[in-house]
Amino acid sequence: MQKFELRLDDIDFQSQESFKTLRFNVEFSGEKNQVFYITSTYPNEGKSTVSLT
């Protein structure tokens, strides 16, 4: 799995917690998983930002 660093000090608290939860879930989903789909209900909810980081 590729490592990256997310600077949480530049993000509001709710977004920080969302990224932490996402990271936790991805890390514990298993090593066999290679593809993740990122979807949302509405446009402009941050899918591109999440998938790039």
Side-chain angles (χ1 to χ4, degrees), residues 3-53:
K3 299 279 184 179
F4 66 91
E5 181 180 335
L6 180 63
R7 294 179 53 183
L8 294 177
D9 53 340
D10 296 336
I11 306 173
D12 61 272
F13 180 75
Q14 184 177 5
S15 297
Q16 288 180 22
E17 292 302 311
S18 296
F19 277 113
K20 288 177 184 178
T21 301
L22 177 63
R23 189 181 94 197
F24 179 82
N25 290 332
V26 168
E27 286 180 353
F28 288 98
S29 65
E31 293 185 18
K32 288 187 171 185
N33 296 326
Q34 295 181 2
V35 176
F36 293 93
Y37 291 99
I38 299 173
T39 63
S40 68
T41 308
Y42 302 104
N44 301 320
E45 287 190 318
K47 294 178 298 293
S48 298
T49 302
V50 170
S51 61
L52 289 172
T53 56

